[in-house]
Amino acid sequence: MPKSIKTLIEKLDNAKITNDAEVDITSVECDSRRVKKGSLFFCVKGATVDGHEFVPAALSNGAVAVIAGRDVDVPDNIVKIIVDDVHAAMEKIVPFFYDYPGKKMRMIGVTGTNGKTTITYIIRSILRKAGYKTGLIGTIKIMIEDEILPIHNTTPDIIDLQQTLFCMVKAGMDYVIMEVSSHALALHRVAGCEYDTAVFTNLTRDHLDFHKTFENYALAKARLFSSLSAPENEKGNKTAVINIDDGAAAVMQQHAKCRTFTYAIDKQADIKADNINIHADGASVHIGGSLCNMDLLLNITGLFNIYNVMGAVGAALAENVAPHIIKEALADFHSVPGRFELVRAGQDFSVIVDYAHTPDGLENVLKTARQIAKKNIITVFGCGGDRDRTKRPIMGRIAAERSDIVIATSDNPRTEDPEFILEEVENGVLPSLHGNFHEKITDRKTAIYRAVELAQKDDIVIIAGKGHENYQLLKTGTIHFDDKEVAAAAIKRKLSEGK
């Protein structure tokens, strides 16, 4: 894998080079703390940190070359490359350094506001049932077959991603199934990846703090579908799998210049669900249309999961997996961590933890809860700080309209005042209560304990927003916090007190 700096800089245009260009590079890094002997260091300027200021640290850790966007001081024995755009230089050099691992495996990308994690997990189960070795890159973790690695972004930065894909090639993976975020597409983190099948789930309000407009958000997602027909692609058999019940489907279809499979419940589609029966422990459904004909018994519930199943079925069919294998895999598939996950601790009411942190996500969860509820729905939720503020009153309204009891609390407040966030949430809650019960409890642990205290036999407690996360981001730093752990402890206390 080591390459000469001269070979690497042949990928760049208008680069100004000083010193010996024959030095060998053994790794590429943009974090000075990860630099080691033989590294090429990219001086990336971010929102809060400027990599140019960390050149001395990178050199002391063993960097032999730097790529910078402006002149920096380096000793004569260090190769210095000045470029117009450091990010653009990374996009060209990093995949090449790792020998384009994303072109050596079949890659399935899943994008959309909601459903990405569940769909990737279902596809993984189907492909493994079919006998393929699979890697997964997603919100919760990275998996190389059964080996689990941590992850910090829905889609890793370009260096982490290419390193991961390189490891997957070495491990002999046939497939990589990947959540592809709008940030990753807009910021070109997936440069050098060649996707073979791309799935679009839906598009609802989220990340407008970054994209500014809903149109920009949709166009960022659409880049995944444009990439299926990129001229530099080396693999064949490209397919777009698109949920045409969603309003943004047309944008994705316009950018998909390849074979397209559509899926829907309301519209006519290549993959269409009917005879849907939702219950507390699962669902049954017939998946028909021009591409398949199968009756399914599922261990996951909710109408939103019917869409997730169809998206996964479409991806599997695009990759020529036999229908009977798809059906067997779906029969064996159970929940994804933090996605409509039941907390069972011996109580006579239901407690469900879900990652829902968008208006659409919260509405889907509460719709499903209402379909299976025998009595009251108690919803605990909040909104993250330093993120899109416009969705706060919207989520408040949805919680109030679809719950019997609403407890507004903190999510990940980050640097914002939690009380201010809750005031904006309550702008949607209070006008929509219509006599239902509401409390505002800033401390999330206290809020969860209060919800469990209020729960009676056959009620459903929904704890929304954090799902699989086992931390909380506060102004003072990151603390350990797991909704499932807290809920289980609250239930245990309630049962011990005989309430």
Side-chain angles (χ1 to χ4, degrees), residues 80-139:
K80 177 171 63 176
I81 303 126
I82 306 299
V83 297
D84 295 331
D85 187 331
V86 177
H87 283 283
M90 288 174 65
E91 291 162 24
K92 292 180 179 179
I93 286 178
V94 176
F96 172 70
F97 179 81
Y98 286 103
D99 298 320
Y100 298 103
K103 295 180 180 291
K104 295 178 178 178
M105 302 169 286
R106 295 290 292 177
M107 290 194 66
I108 300 175
V110 181
T111 198
T113 307
N114 300 305
K116 296 186 295 295
T117 300
T118 299
I119 291 178
T120 56
Y121 271 66
I122 297 173
I123 295 171
R124 175 179 180 268
S125 295
I126 294 171
L127 291 174
R128 297 189 84 190
K129 179 73 73 173
Y132 294 110
K133 297 182 72 174
T134 63
L136 181 141
I137 300 173
T139 306

Side-chain angles (χ1 to χ4, degrees), residues 7 87 228 371 402 409 419 476 487:
T7 303
H87 283 283
L228 295 175
Q371 287 176 313
R402 296 193 174 275
T409 189
E419 292 286 345
T476 54

Side-chain angles (χ1 to χ4, degrees), residues 395-410:
M395 291 180 67
R397 173 183 56 77
I398 290 167
E401 289 176 348
R402 296 193 174 275
S403 310
D404 300 289
I405 298 173
V406 176
I407 300 177
T409 189
S410 294

Side-chain angles (χ1 to χ4, degrees), residues 3 5 18 30 95 114 136 155 161 196 202 213 230 244 252 265 281 303 342 391 427 429 453 473 489:
K3 291 180 172 62
I5 192 70
T18 62
C30 62
N114 300 305
L136 181 141
T155 310
L161 177 57
D196 302 291
N202 50 57
T213 69
I244 59 169
M252 310 306 148
I265 293 175
D281 297 322
L303 198 64
L342 285 164
K391 69 182 183 182
N427 288 336
V429 172
E453 177 190 4
L473 302 173

